[in-house]
Amino acid sequence: EIYTLSLHDALPICGWFLQLGVFRQLDNALRVQREQMARSTPSDPPVELVQRGDQYRVLLGPYADEADARAVAADIGERTGHKPGVSRQ
């Protein structure tokens, strides 16, 4: 398995991200990360796994700006039926 696990305080990430899910169980977060990575192309931003407290967040990004992130979120929502949230980290 390939994943990046960042402790938010130790390795801050900045920019606009899509939040693909928040999980208490690492295995569930890893599953969503693997699924997204399988759909990704080389030009897509990385799929990050970030731990905050007892939760694991699966984030896609960063994107250059909020408009770009929202456009990708809308596209993912149309294709999958689940529109990710957009947040600034």
Side-chain angles (χ1 to χ4, degrees), residues 26-54:
L26 178 58
D27 288 345
N28 292 335
L30 290 170
R31 178 184 49 79
V32 169
Q33 184 188 36
R34 279 191 305 269
E35 290 171 358
Q36 181 61 40
M37 289 174 73
R39 291 189 292 264
S40 295
T41 67
S43 63
D44 289 335
V47 182
E48 302 285 345
L49 183 60
V50 179
Q51 183 179 8
R52 293 195 185 143
D54 65 347

PDB file of all heavy atoms in Angstrom, residues 26-54:
ATOM      1  N   LEU A  26      -8.648   3.501  10.341  1.00  0.00           N
ATOM      2  CA  LEU A  26      -7.641   3.693   9.307  1.00  0.00           C
ATOM      3  C   LEU A  26      -7.919   2.823   8.088  1.00  0.00           C
ATOM      4  O   LEU A  26      -7.762   3.275   6.951  1.00  0.00           O
ATOM      5  CB  LEU A  26      -6.249   3.399   9.872  1.00  0.00           C
ATOM      6  CG  LEU A  26      -5.084   3.508   8.891  1.00  0.00           C
ATOM      7  CD1 LEU A  26      -5.008   4.890   8.270  1.00  0.00           C
ATOM      8  CD2 LEU A  26      -3.786   3.144   9.589  1.00  0.00           C
ATOM      9  N   ASP A  27      -8.349   1.585   8.291  1.00  0.00           N
ATOM     10  CA  ASP A  27      -8.620   0.683   7.161  1.00  0.00           C
ATOM     11  C   ASP A  27      -9.656   1.270   6.198  1.00  0.00           C
ATOM     12  O   ASP A  27      -9.528   1.126   4.988  1.00  0.00           O
ATOM     13  CB  ASP A  27      -9.089  -0.686   7.654  1.00  0.00           C
ATOM     14  CG  ASP A  27      -7.976  -1.497   8.275  1.00  0.00           C
ATOM     15  OD1 ASP A  27      -6.782  -1.148   8.079  1.00  0.00           O
ATOM     16  OD2 ASP A  27      -8.284  -2.478   8.969  1.00  0.00           O
ATOM     17  N   ASN A  28     -10.685   1.911   6.735  1.00  0.00           N
ATOM     18  CA  ASN A  28     -11.714   2.509   5.880  1.00  0.00           C
ATOM     19  C   ASN A  28     -11.146   3.674   5.079  1.00  0.00           C
ATOM     20  O   ASN A  28     -11.447   3.831   3.892  1.00  0.00           O
ATOM     21  CB  ASN A  28     -12.901   2.971   6.720  1.00  0.00           C
ATOM     22  CG  ASN A  28     -13.653   1.811   7.328  1.00  0.00           C
ATOM     23  OD1 ASN A  28     -13.626   0.693   6.820  1.00  0.00           O
ATOM     24  ND2 ASN A  28     -14.321   2.052   8.441  1.00  0.00           N
ATOM     25  N   ALA A  29     -10.317   4.482   5.717  1.00  0.00           N
ATOM     26  CA  ALA A  29      -9.687   5.606   5.011  1.00  0.00           C
ATOM     27  C   ALA A  29      -8.761   5.094   3.911  1.00  0.00           C
ATOM     28  O   ALA A  29      -8.742   5.637   2.807  1.00  0.00           O
ATOM     29  CB  ALA A  29      -8.921   6.480   6.007  1.00  0.00           C
ATOM     30  N   LEU A  30      -8.002   4.055   4.209  1.00  0.00           N
ATOM     31  CA  LEU A  30      -7.103   3.477   3.207  1.00  0.00           C
ATOM     32  C   LEU A  30      -7.876   2.913   2.023  1.00  0.00           C
ATOM     33  O   LEU A  30      -7.434   3.029   0.874  1.00  0.00           O
ATOM     34  CB  LEU A  30      -6.231   2.395   3.832  1.00  0.00           C
ATOM     35  CG  LEU A  30      -5.163   2.893   4.803  1.00  0.00           C
ATOM     36  CD1 LEU A  30      -4.527   1.711   5.531  1.00  0.00           C
ATOM     37  CD2 LEU A  30      -4.118   3.701   4.076  1.00  0.00           C
ATOM     38  N   ARG A  31      -9.029   2.315   2.279  1.00  0.00           N
ATOM     39  CA  ARG A  31      -9.861   1.765   1.197  1.00  0.00           C
ATOM     40  C   ARG A  31     -10.304   2.879   0.248  1.00  0.00           C
ATOM     41  O   ARG A  31     -10.176   2.764  -0.980  1.00  0.00           O
ATOM     42  CB  ARG A  31     -11.077   1.036   1.765  1.00  0.00           C
ATOM     43  CG  ARG A  31     -12.016   0.492   0.694  1.00  0.00           C
ATOM     44  CD  ARG A  31     -13.266  -0.145   1.295  1.00  0.00           C
ATOM     45  NE  ARG A  31     -13.925   0.675   2.295  1.00  0.00           N
ATOM     46  CZ  ARG A  31     -14.730   1.711   2.037  1.00  0.00           C
ATOM     47  NH1 ARG A  31     -14.961   2.067   0.770  1.00  0.00           N
ATOM     48  NH2 ARG A  31     -15.297   2.401   3.000  1.00  0.00           N
ATOM     49  N   VAL A  32     -10.796   3.984   0.810  1.00  0.00           N
ATOM     50  CA  VAL A  32     -11.249   5.102  -0.023  1.00  0.00           C
ATOM     51  C   VAL A  32     -10.064   5.703  -0.778  1.00  0.00           C
ATOM     52  O   VAL A  32     -10.174   6.041  -1.959  1.00  0.00           O
ATOM     53  CB  VAL A  32     -11.970   6.159   0.832  1.00  0.00           C
ATOM     54  CG1 VAL A  32     -12.205   7.443   0.051  1.00  0.00           C
ATOM     55  CG2 VAL A  32     -13.288   5.592   1.336  1.00  0.00           C
ATOM     56  N   GLN A  33      -8.929   5.800  -0.120  1.00  0.00           N
ATOM     57  CA  GLN A  33      -7.735   6.328  -0.778  1.00  0.00           C
ATOM     58  C   GLN A  33      -7.334   5.447  -1.956  1.00  0.00           C
ATOM     59  O   GLN A  33      -7.055   5.941  -3.049  1.00  0.00           O
ATOM     60  CB  GLN A  33      -6.588   6.446   0.213  1.00  0.00           C
ATOM     61  CG  GLN A  33      -5.358   7.082  -0.410  1.00  0.00           C
ATOM     62  CD  GLN A  33      -4.152   7.037   0.481  1.00  0.00           C
ATOM     63  OE1 GLN A  33      -3.955   6.066   1.201  1.00  0.00           O
ATOM     64  NE2 GLN A  33      -3.349   8.076   0.451  1.00  0.00           N
ATOM     65  N   ARG A  34      -7.305   4.132  -1.764  1.00  0.00           N
ATOM     66  CA  ARG A  34      -6.951   3.204  -2.848  1.00  0.00           C
ATOM     67  C   ARG A  34      -7.935   3.314  -4.010  1.00  0.00           C
ATOM     68  O   ARG A  34      -7.545   3.306  -5.173  1.00  0.00           O
ATOM     69  CB  ARG A  34      -6.920   1.765  -2.334  1.00  0.00           C
ATOM     70  CG  ARG A  34      -5.654   1.388  -1.619  1.00  0.00           C
ATOM     71  CD  ARG A  34      -5.578  -0.103  -1.373  1.00  0.00           C
ATOM     72  NE  ARG A  34      -6.732  -0.621  -0.660  1.00  0.00           N
ATOM     73  CZ  ARG A  34      -6.835  -0.722   0.668  1.00  0.00           C
ATOM     74  NH1 ARG A  34      -5.839  -0.346   1.436  1.00  0.00           N
ATOM     75  NH2 ARG A  34      -7.917  -1.211   1.226  1.00  0.00           N
ATOM     76  N   GLU A  35      -9.235   3.405  -3.688  1.00  0.00           N
ATOM     77  CA  GLU A  35     -10.251   3.514  -4.735  1.00  0.00           C
ATOM     78  C   GLU A  35     -10.054   4.784  -5.561  1.00  0.00           C
ATOM     79  O   GLU A  35     -10.150   4.752  -6.787  1.00  0.00           O
ATOM     80  CB  GLU A  35     -11.649   3.494  -4.116  1.00  0.00           C
ATOM     81  CG  GLU A  35     -12.046   2.146  -3.555  1.00  0.00           C
ATOM     82  CD  GLU A  35     -13.329   2.189  -2.747  1.00  0.00           C
ATOM     83  OE1 GLU A  35     -13.916   3.288  -2.573  1.00  0.00           O
ATOM     84  OE2 GLU A  35     -13.747   1.127  -2.262  1.00  0.00           O
ATOM     85  N   GLN A  36      -9.758   5.893  -4.882  1.00  0.00           N
ATOM     86  CA  GLN A  36      -9.550   7.142  -5.603  1.00  0.00           C
ATOM     87  C   GLN A  36      -8.277   7.080  -6.426  1.00  0.00           C
ATOM     88  O   GLN A  36      -8.237   7.558  -7.562  1.00  0.00           O
ATOM     89  CB  GLN A  36      -9.502   8.324  -4.634  1.00  0.00           C
ATOM     90  CG  GLN A  36      -9.303   9.653  -5.325  1.00  0.00           C
ATOM     91  CD  GLN A  36     -10.415   9.990  -6.306  1.00  0.00           C
ATOM     92  OE1 GLN A  36     -11.582   9.751  -6.041  1.00  0.00           O
ATOM     93  NE2 GLN A  36     -10.057  10.546  -7.453  1.00  0.00           N
ATOM     94  N   MET A  37      -7.231   6.499  -5.875  1.00  0.00           N
ATOM     95  CA  MET A  37      -5.967   6.390  -6.615  1.00  0.00           C
ATOM     96  C   MET A  37      -6.140   5.537  -7.868  1.00  0.00           C
ATOM     97  O   MET A  37      -5.530   5.814  -8.898  1.00  0.00           O
ATOM     98  CB  MET A  37      -4.879   5.826  -5.709  1.00  0.00           C
ATOM     99  CG  MET A  37      -4.426   6.818  -4.644  1.00  0.00           C
ATOM    100  SD  MET A  37      -3.280   6.117  -3.452  1.00  0.00           S
ATOM    101  CE  MET A  37      -1.815   6.006  -4.472  1.00  0.00           C
ATOM    102  N   ALA A  38      -6.999   4.528  -7.811  1.00  0.00           N
ATOM    103  CA  ALA A  38      -7.247   3.676  -8.972  1.00  0.00           C
ATOM    104  C   ALA A  38      -7.942   4.453 -10.090  1.00  0.00           C
ATOM    105  O   ALA A  38      -7.777   4.133 -11.259  1.00  0.00           O
ATOM    106  CB  ALA A  38      -8.083   2.466  -8.571  1.00  0.00           C
ATOM    107  N   ARG A  39      -8.699   5.493  -9.717  1.00  0.00           N
ATOM    108  CA  ARG A  39      -9.408   6.311 -10.717  1.00  0.00           C
ATOM    109  C   ARG A  39      -8.584   7.503 -11.177  1.00  0.00           C
ATOM    110  O   ARG A  39      -8.962   8.200 -12.107  1.00  0.00           O
ATOM    111  CB  ARG A  39     -10.728   6.819 -10.125  1.00  0.00           C
ATOM    112  CG  ARG A  39     -11.763   5.755  -9.900  1.00  0.00           C
ATOM    113  CD  ARG A  39     -13.096   6.366  -9.522  1.00  0.00           C
ATOM    114  NE  ARG A  39     -13.068   6.987  -8.209  1.00  0.00           N
ATOM    115  CZ  ARG A  39     -13.470   6.407  -7.085  1.00  0.00           C
ATOM    116  NH1 ARG A  39     -13.913   5.177  -7.105  1.00  0.00           N
ATOM    117  NH2 ARG A  39     -13.428   7.051  -5.939  1.00  0.00           N
ATOM    118  N   SER A  40      -7.495   7.779 -10.510  1.00  0.00           N
ATOM    119  CA  SER A  40      -6.695   8.974 -10.799  1.00  0.00           C
ATOM    120  C   SER A  40      -5.827   8.788 -12.033  1.00  0.00           C
ATOM    121  O   SER A  40      -5.453   7.677 -12.387  1.00  0.00           O
ATOM    122  CB  SER A  40      -5.793   9.296  -9.607  1.00  0.00           C
ATOM    123  OG  SER A  40      -6.561   9.657  -8.490  1.00  0.00           O
ATOM    124  N   THR A  41      -5.516   9.917 -12.648  1.00  0.00           N
ATOM    125  CA  THR A  41      -4.580   9.936 -13.764  1.00  0.00           C
ATOM    126  C   THR A  41      -3.291  10.599 -13.269  1.00  0.00           C
ATOM    127  O   THR A  41      -3.295  11.260 -12.228  1.00  0.00           O
ATOM    128  CB  THR A  41      -5.156  10.739 -14.942  1.00  0.00           C
ATOM    129  OG1 THR A  41      -5.254  12.113 -14.556  1.00  0.00           O
ATOM    130  CG2 THR A  41      -6.517  10.204 -15.369  1.00  0.00           C
ATOM    131  N   PRO A  42      -2.197  10.464 -14.012  1.00  0.00           N
ATOM    132  CA  PRO A  42      -0.943  11.094 -13.581  1.00  0.00           C
ATOM    133  C   PRO A  42      -1.036  12.608 -13.412  1.00  0.00           C
ATOM    134  O   PRO A  42      -0.272  13.199 -12.653  1.00  0.00           O
ATOM    135  CB  PRO A  42       0.031  10.723 -14.687  1.00  0.00           C
ATOM    136  CG  PRO A  42      -0.509   9.462 -15.266  1.00  0.00           C
ATOM    137  CD  PRO A  42      -2.003   9.607 -15.181  1.00  0.00           C
ATOM    138  N   SER A  43      -1.963  13.251 -14.092  1.00  0.00           N
ATOM    139  CA  SER A  43      -2.090  14.706 -13.971  1.00  0.00           C
ATOM    140  C   SER A  43      -2.935  15.144 -12.777  1.00  0.00           C
ATOM    141  O   SER A  43      -2.986  16.331 -12.462  1.00  0.00           O
ATOM    142  CB  SER A  43      -2.673  15.285 -15.257  1.00  0.00           C
ATOM    143  OG  SER A  43      -3.980  14.796 -15.465  1.00  0.00           O
ATOM    144  N   ASP A  44      -3.605  14.205 -12.121  1.00  0.00           N
ATOM    145  CA  ASP A  44      -4.418  14.535 -10.950  1.00  0.00           C
ATOM    146  C   ASP A  44      -3.527  14.843  -9.752  1.00  0.00           C
ATOM    147  O   ASP A  44      -2.425  14.308  -9.629  1.00  0.00           O
ATOM    148  CB  ASP A  44      -5.348  13.369 -10.581  1.00  0.00           C
ATOM    149  CG  ASP A  44      -6.466  13.188 -11.573  1.00  0.00           C
ATOM    150  OD1 ASP A  44      -6.831  14.160 -12.258  1.00  0.00           O
ATOM    151  OD2 ASP A  44      -6.987  12.065 -11.664  1.00  0.00           O
ATOM    152  N   PRO A  45      -4.019  15.689  -8.834  1.00  0.00           N
ATOM    153  CA  PRO A  45      -3.242  15.940  -7.623  1.00  0.00           C
ATOM    154  C   PRO A  45      -3.221  14.692  -6.735  1.00  0.00           C
ATOM    155  O   PRO A  45      -4.032  13.776  -6.920  1.00  0.00           O
ATOM    156  CB  PRO A  45      -3.988  17.089  -6.945  1.00  0.00           C
ATOM    157  CG  PRO A  45      -5.348  17.073  -7.511  1.00  0.00           C
ATOM    158  CD  PRO A  45      -5.247  16.453  -8.874  1.00  0.00           C
ATOM    159  N   PRO A  46      -2.308  14.648  -5.787  1.00  0.00           N
ATOM    160  CA  PRO A  46      -2.202  13.463  -4.937  1.00  0.00           C
ATOM    161  C   PRO A  46      -3.406  13.289  -4.013  1.00  0.00           C
ATOM    162  O   PRO A  46      -4.104  14.241  -3.698  1.00  0.00           O
ATOM    163  CB  PRO A  46      -0.926  13.710  -4.129  1.00  0.00           C
ATOM    164  CG  PRO A  46      -0.687  15.163  -4.198  1.00  0.00           C
ATOM    165  CD  PRO A  46      -1.302  15.650  -5.472  1.00  0.00           C
ATOM    166  N   VAL A  47      -3.604  12.043  -3.606  1.00  0.00           N
ATOM    167  CA  VAL A  47      -4.631  11.711  -2.622  1.00  0.00           C
ATOM    168  C   VAL A  47      -3.914  11.597  -1.280  1.00  0.00           C
ATOM    169  O   VAL A  47      -3.104  10.697  -1.082  1.00  0.00           O
ATOM    170  CB  VAL A  47      -5.341  10.380  -2.969  1.00  0.00           C
ATOM    171  CG1 VAL A  47      -6.436  10.087  -1.960  1.00  0.00           C
ATOM    172  CG2 VAL A  47      -5.898  10.420  -4.378  1.00  0.00           C
ATOM    173  N   GLU A  48      -4.200  12.533  -0.378  1.00  0.00           N
ATOM    174  CA  GLU A  48      -3.531  12.590   0.909  1.00  0.00           C
ATOM    175  C   GLU A  48      -4.387  11.951   1.990  1.00  0.00           C
ATOM    176  O   GLU A  48      -5.609  12.059   1.968  1.00  0.00           O
ATOM    177  CB  GLU A  48      -3.257  14.048   1.310  1.00  0.00           C
ATOM    178  CG  GLU A  48      -2.418  14.817   0.329  1.00  0.00           C
ATOM    179  CD  GLU A  48      -0.953  14.441   0.370  1.00  0.00           C
ATOM    180  OE1 GLU A  48      -0.525  13.786   1.334  1.00  0.00           O
ATOM    181  OE2 GLU A  48      -0.236  14.806  -0.565  1.00  0.00           O
ATOM    182  N   LEU A  49      -3.724  11.309   2.916  1.00  0.00           N
ATOM    183  CA  LEU A  49      -4.388  10.760   4.096  1.00  0.00           C
ATOM    184  C   LEU A  49      -3.833  11.523   5.285  1.00  0.00           C
ATOM    185  O   LEU A  49      -2.639  11.475   5.554  1.00  0.00           O
ATOM    186  CB  LEU A  49      -4.102   9.263   4.215  1.00  0.00           C
ATOM    187  CG  LEU A  49      -4.786   8.538   5.358  1.00  0.00           C
ATOM    188  CD1 LEU A  49      -6.294   8.640   5.241  1.00  0.00           C
ATOM    189  CD2 LEU A  49      -4.356   7.089   5.380  1.00  0.00           C
ATOM    190  N   VAL A  50      -4.704  12.271   5.964  1.00  0.00           N
ATOM    191  CA  VAL A  50      -4.284  13.161   7.039  1.00  0.00           C
ATOM    192  C   VAL A  50      -4.980  12.748   8.332  1.00  0.00           C
ATOM    193  O   VAL A  50      -6.201  12.594   8.358  1.00  0.00           O
ATOM    194  CB  VAL A  50      -4.633  14.629   6.709  1.00  0.00           C
ATOM    195  CG1 VAL A  50      -4.221  15.555   7.840  1.00  0.00           C
ATOM    196  CG2 VAL A  50      -3.975  15.045   5.408  1.00  0.00           C
ATOM    197  N   GLN A  51      -4.200  12.558   9.382  1.00  0.00           N
ATOM    198  CA  GLN A  51      -4.762  12.231  10.682  1.00  0.00           C
ATOM    199  C   GLN A  51      -4.906  13.505  11.507  1.00  0.00           C
ATOM    200  O   GLN A  51      -3.962  14.295  11.619  1.00  0.00           O
ATOM    201  CB  GLN A  51      -3.879  11.256  11.438  1.00  0.00           C
ATOM    202  CG  GLN A  51      -4.467  10.845  12.770  1.00  0.00           C
ATOM    203  CD  GLN A  51      -3.596   9.854  13.515  1.00  0.00           C
ATOM    204  OE1 GLN A  51      -2.484   9.572  13.114  1.00  0.00           O
ATOM    205  NE2 GLN A  51      -4.117   9.322  14.597  1.00  0.00           N
ATOM    206  N   ARG A  52      -6.087  13.694  12.051  1.00  0.00           N
ATOM    207  CA  ARG A  52      -6.347  14.802  12.975  1.00  0.00           C
ATOM    208  C   ARG A  52      -7.068  14.210  14.178  1.00  0.00           C
ATOM    209  O   ARG A  52      -8.224  13.815  14.080  1.00  0.00           O
ATOM    210  CB  ARG A  52      -7.207  15.869  12.323  1.00  0.00           C
ATOM    211  CG  ARG A  52      -6.481  16.560  11.205  1.00  0.00           C
ATOM    212  CD  ARG A  52      -7.153  17.837  10.790  1.00  0.00           C
ATOM    213  NE  ARG A  52      -6.462  18.368   9.625  1.00  0.00           N
ATOM    214  CZ  ARG A  52      -7.068  18.969   8.637  1.00  0.00           C
ATOM    215  NH1 ARG A  52      -8.357  19.145   8.656  1.00  0.00           N
ATOM    216  NH2 ARG A  52      -6.364  19.424   7.621  1.00  0.00           N
ATOM    217  N   GLY A  53      -6.346  14.133  15.281  1.00  0.00           N
ATOM    218  CA  GLY A  53      -6.932  13.501  16.462  1.00  0.00           C
ATOM    219  C   GLY A  53      -7.162  12.037  16.178  1.00  0.00           C
ATOM    220  O   GLY A  53      -6.266  11.335  15.712  1.00  0.00           O
ATOM    221  N   ASP A  54      -8.385  11.586  16.424  1.00  0.00           N
ATOM    222  CA  ASP A  54      -8.702  10.175  16.192  1.00  0.00           C
ATOM    223  C   ASP A  54      -9.414   9.949  14.866  1.00  0.00           C
ATOM    224  O   ASP A  54     -10.040   8.916  14.655  1.00  0.00           O
ATOM    225  CB  ASP A  54      -9.536   9.621  17.354  1.00  0.00           C
ATOM    226  CG  ASP A  54     -10.905  10.267  17.477  1.00  0.00           C
ATOM    227  OD1 ASP A  54     -11.138  11.318  16.839  1.00  0.00           O
ATOM    228  OD2 ASP A  54     -11.749   9.732  18.219  1.00  0.00           O
TER     229      ASP A  54
END
